[in-house]
Amino acid sequence: MTVTIRPADRRDIVAVAELIEEIERFYGSAEIQPLEERHSQVEEALFGSPPLASALLVEDGTGNLVGLATYSFLWPAAGSSHSLFLKELYVRDTLRRQGVGARLMDELRALAAARPGCSRVEWMTDRDNPNARAFYKSLGFAEFDGKIVYRVDTSTS
């Protein structure tokens, strides 16, 4: 199947918000935000002033959104350089194992290489996600055990 990878623009807000529901269900979430709330969050995140993130979108041959990679640039990375941090890589199950995820990773690496001062691409995956771990390993990426991730929910006191 032929797909196109391109940066998100404002006309994609509804489709991205709909795909986020699919991503939430993929990760096992039972509580899904109302669609209008997701619309607002996508618009603010990708097109606010300043934007919080960027996204590459995958369209199939009929123009349907079938995947995405969301990322932000973080500073500092090594020394005073910065890094591209991949937050989410998702490809609809009907297109998995067809090279779409690998193409997204190539695009992200190219974006990072083209940005002056960007020293690396970084991302995380869950230890209990063997498919994601196998995917990254198949691309030749080694796991990095040097960090421990902390998280605190800001909605609790």
Side-chain angles (χ1 to χ4, degrees), residues 17-150:
E18 291 170 350
L19 189 61
I20 287 173
E21 179 176 347
E22 183 176 325
I23 292 168
E24 289 293 316
R25 292 192 191 287
F26 174 80
Y27 286 116
S29 180
E31 295 183 30
I32 307 296
Q33 298 166 307
L35 185 59
E36 283 303 315
E37 189 175 326
R38 279 182 276 131
H39 286 186
S40 296
Q41 289 179 341
V42 168
E43 184 170 19
E44 179 184 346
L46 297 179
F47 307 107
S49 180
L52 302 174
S54 298
L56 292 177
L57 305 181
V58 181
E59 285 184 349
D60 66 14
T62 62
N64 292 317
L65 186 61
V66 294
L68 61 71
T70 61
Y71 62 95
S72 299
F73 287 96
L74 302 178
W75 178 84
S80 62
S81 68
H82 58 276
S83 64
L84 184 153
F85 184 80
L86 170 62
K87 175 59 178 102
E88 186 67 52
L89 181 86
Y90 182 80
V91 176
R92 190 164 277 160
D93 62 352
T94 56
L95 290 176
R96 289 190 194 130
R97 292 174 249 334
Q98 296 184 37
V100 177
R103 284 186 52 201
L104 279 167
M105 291 302 293
D106 288 343
E107 290 286 332
L108 291 165
R109 291 172 77 188
L111 282 169
R115 185 172 173 125
C118 188
S119 61
R120 58 189 174 206
V121 177
E122 299 175 295
W123 65 95
M124 295 183 290
T125 192
D126 294 327
R127 289 191 187 282
D128 63 351
N129 188 342
N131 292 334
R133 293 174 74 182
F135 165 70
Y136 295 125
K137 185 176 181 179
S138 76
L139 297 178
F141 301 128
E143 291 184 0
F144 178 76
D145 289 330
K147 301 284 182 186
I148 297 171
V149 177
Y150 294 89

